[in-house]
Amino acid sequence: VSIKGEGRGKTILSYTRGLSGINLKSAKKSNGNQILENFSIEGNNKTLSTGITIENRDNVTVRNISFNMIDYT
């Protein structure tokens, strides 16, 4: 799954709490063939620990994303 927003000021993913907002994880190495672009991740006053987690994925493009009020980005 790819996520393509309308822009960092227009598309805002807001999380109230948790370890990671977006998780792209595979048990073994795989071709993700995914794009994450043109949006903001809002951590709600640092209740979110990580904006994006990517593990065991190749071919994942991340561009034009803002990370706001996240504990660790």
Side-chain angles (χ1 to χ4, degrees), residues 3-16 21-22 37-45 48 51 64-70:
I3 301 173
K4 298 180 181 181
E6 294 294 318
R8 293 183 297 183
K10 293 183 178 181
T11 305
I12 301 170
L13 305 179
S14 183
Y15 297 89
T16 56
I22 297 174
E37 68 179 356
N38 296 322
F39 60 87
S40 294
I41 295 177
E42 174 64 47
N44 194 24
N45 203 26
L48 184 66
N64 199 31
I65 297 175
S66 291
F67 300 91
N68 303 303
M69 298 302 289
I70 296 173

Side-chain angles (χ1 to χ4, degrees), residues 1 18 30 45-46 52 61 64:
V1 173
S30 66
N45 203 26
K46 297 190 177 185
I52 300 172
T61 301
N64 199 31

